[in-house]
Amino acid sequence: MKQIYTESILLIERLHRRFLDVVKAELDRLKIDDVNNVQTLILYNISGEQLTIGELTNRGYYLGSNVSYNVKKLVENGYLAQERAPHDKRSTRIKLSDKGLALCKKIDELYQRNIDVVSKQITEPALTGLNATLSQLERFWTDYINNIHKVK
């Protein structure tokens, strides 16, 4: 079991890096060089929402220190619009600009092309099962972290 568990962890890490390579290849194909692959995924995950940086960080997809830097770059390059929150002037909210929406549309097209090919190799039930297993692993790690903090 230890070998399988360790292999799973390493595979998850490799898959994430490989997917970032896929996004980078698409950006290169589109000749987009003012945004990187991580920033592109941040944009895609914001989608049509209006969020604070804290809300984006709390989703757990990104390291907090990187989010602020990446959001700053995305605002500077015109992919995000930033405005003060009406209820709290210390807080800013971000949303996709037209440029950010256009990039997300292109990334959505990439996802669809990937789905068209991968669906011929991996069945939907197999992916559903994989997602269920990965969700269980995420819950296990979350519970582990929460319980460690309670012991201290």
Side-chain angles (χ1 to χ4, degrees):
M1 183 67 171
K2 182 179 181 183
Q3 181 180 348
I4 295 169
Y5 177 73
T6 304
E7 184 180 344
S8 296
I9 293 167
L10 294 174
L11 184 56
I12 291 165
E13 184 181 2
R14 279 197 319 268
L15 285 170
H16 178 66
R17 281 195 313 263
R18 183 59 58 197
F19 183 69
L20 288 174
D21 291 344
V22 168
V23 174
K24 173 71 171 118
E26 184 68 4
L27 292 172
D28 291 347
R29 186 184 76 76
L30 295 169
K31 296 181 177 28
I32 297 173
D33 60 4
D34 61 344
V35 63
N36 66 35
N37 48 7
V38 172
Q39 292 165 347
T40 300
L41 291 181
I42 289 172
L43 291 171
Y44 194 82
N45 286 315
I46 292 171
S47 189
E49 295 185 72
Q50 190 174 26
L51 305 167
T52 65
I53 293 173
E55 289 168 336
L56 188 58
T57 303
N58 286 338
R59 290 181 172 198
Y61 301 128
Y62 323 101
L63 298 175
S65 60
N66 291 338
V67 172
S68 295
Y69 169 80
N70 284 319
V71 166
K72 178 182 174 195
K73 287 304 203 183
L74 290 166
V75 170
E76 286 174 6
N77 290 326
Y79 289 96
L80 283 178
Q82 190 172 6
E83 60 186 42
R84 293 270 177 222
H87 63 282
D88 182 357
K89 297 299 179 194
R90 296 168 296 171
S91 179
T92 58
R93 299 191 73 70
I94 52 174
K95 67 177 183 176
L96 297 181
S97 67
D98 289 342
K99 185 177 180 182
L101 288 166
L103 178 57
C104 284
K105 184 173 187 256
K106 289 178 172 139
I107 296 304
D108 201 52
E109 292 167 1
L110 165 68
Y111 279 21
Q112 189 58 55
R113 286 194 313 274
N114 283 191
I115 290 164
D116 293 345
V117 174
V118 81
S119 65
K120 295 174 184 159
Q121 301 171 27
I122 304 171
T123 66
E124 188 173 332
L127 278 177
T128 300
L130 172 63
N131 290 345
T133 301
L134 290 171
S135 293
Q136 285 178 310
L137 191 53
E138 179 184 26
R139 276 192 304 279
F140 166 75
W141 285 337
T142 299
D143 291 346
Y144 182 84
I145 291 166
N146 290 337
N147 290 329
I148 290 293
H149 291 301
K150 290 178 185 176
V151 173
K152 288 183 180 180

